[in-house]
Amino acid sequence: MSRLQVVSGKGGTGKTTVAAALALALAREGKRTLLVEVEGRQGLAQLFGAEALPYEERKIAVAPGGGGEVFALAIDAERALLDYLQMFYKLGSAGRALKKLGAIDFATTIAPGLRDVLLTGKACEAVRRKDKAGRYVYDHVIMDAPPTGRITRFLNVNDEVAGLARFGPIHNQAQAVMKVLKSPETAVHLVTLLEEMPVQETADGIGELREAGLPVGRVVVNMVRPHHLDEDTLRTAAGDHRAEVARALSRAGLGGARRGGLAERLVDPLLTQAAEHASRVELERAQRTVLAGLDLPTYELPLLGAGVDLAGLYELAKDLRKQTVAE
């Protein structure tokens, strides 16, 4: 498994949930995992039922089986820029003075590319960080990244910066970040649903990542709904079998099958639901065919009917863990 796992996906596919479940799945057997948020939405805090994440690494969960720990960090671009100024230019209090004057906010707002440089740089610093014994502080860093539509530009921004600043600390920092992002240490996973638009955006995103030389990891199909009907029943749903269904309902004790009886009145809504289910199954099969053509490993996570709470998050992590071990 790569040490930096970047999770992206079209809005509404549940990429933040998948990133959190992946962090729990990887934090096993005593492993330490850092879960990084870069969009400022505090979605991770909500999932784990925690207070808003500060700009510091904080333990938010213990993984099942082995006692591995999950830490989380919400990266703030302004604070990251202050760190950057201190690290490379030793500004110290002068950097804090710039913040009071609003210069930091101005710089990160006027140059959105700079914001992305700071966010990716902070995450890659966590990947490379070692303790006094020379061991990596974190076994895995999971980034809840921007949506698929801008993930390639977000990750590739340091390449552009390295080209613009041809020497000095900015150039060196940008090159160091891209060395991590384009190495086997990194994998970019895309989250999708079995629906036409998310699958198409996933396919487009994979093409863009590959063209940019960024390492594509896996496709995670999220919120997969169960198929309640077998093949024979699906075929029945596609035809006109009103009388047959009415008789079956009557035999089940749901009233007479005669016209106007309870069983007969239930036929239309049942056939409508069955037809909708059959149509969805056919659509999902078509999207699975498209995903298979991408030639990437695929994980599937179930739809949790009651929504995703902390218990559900652990259940998704368990599912991911099983699929990882099965590879």
Side-chain angles (χ1 to χ4, degrees), residues 200-217:
Q200 184 59 55
E201 189 163 314
T202 297
D204 293 342
I206 289 169
E208 292 172 2
L209 288 165
R210 285 172 169 166
E211 186 176 349
L214 291 161
V216 184

Side-chain angles (χ1 to χ4, degrees), residues 232-233 235-247 267 271:
D232 289 340
T233 308
R235 283 192 292 271
T236 299
D240 183 9
H241 300 275
R242 298 185 78 261
E244 182 182 343
V245 173
R247 287 193 295 272
V267 170
L271 286 179

Side-chain angles (χ1 to χ4, degrees), residues 240-288:
D240 183 9
H241 300 275
R242 298 185 78 261
E244 182 182 343
V245 173
R247 287 193 295 272
L249 291 172
S250 180
R251 288 195 298 272
L254 294 175
R258 66 186 182 283
R259 186 170 183 80
L262 176 59
E264 200 272 344
R265 293 199 305 271
L266 290 173
V267 170
D268 283 340
L270 283 174
L271 286 179
T272 298
Q273 288 189 23
E276 290 174 352
H277 182 76
S279 177
R280 177 171 64 79
V281 169
E282 189 61 32
L283 171 66
E284 290 178 353
R285 283 176 177 163
Q287 299 314 308
R288 278 197 170 93

